Amino acid sequence: MANLPQFQSETILLNVFTIALKQLNQNQITEKQFFATLLKLACKEGLPLACLQSVWDKQ
């Protein structure tokens, strides 16, 4: 869990999907590529890397 303020979490989420949808419209990409793009954008927008580690640990 990121343990970020709600406003910051909402901003990251909105920014990630807005940017990703623009990129998706410009390119034909696979689902795996799209998922990777979402993760990269989330980190770029401020999602702590520790959050991603917890996702991988659960798999």
Side-chain angles (χ1 to χ4, degrees):
M1 183 152 239
N3 200 22
L4 300 172
Q6 183 176 348
F7 176 77
Q8 186 178 2
S9 298
E10 291 169 350
T11 301
I12 290 171
L13 181 65
L14 183 58
N15 288 344
V16 166
F17 279 98
T18 300
I19 295 167
L21 286 174
K22 287 178 185 176
Q23 290 181 2
L24 181 63
N25 289 336
Q26 295 171 357
N27 304 312
Q28 293 285 331
I29 61 174
T30 67
E31 287 181 28
K32 287 182 181 180
Q33 290 170 325
F34 187 67
F35 182 69
T37 298
L38 289 176
L39 292 177
K40 288 177 193 176
L41 288 170
C43 289
K44 185 177 177 181
E45 290 296 319
L47 183 71
L49 291 176
C51 295
L52 295 180
Q53 184 63 43
S54 68
V55 170
W56 298 128
D57 289 346
K58 291 179 183 180
Q59 293 185 5

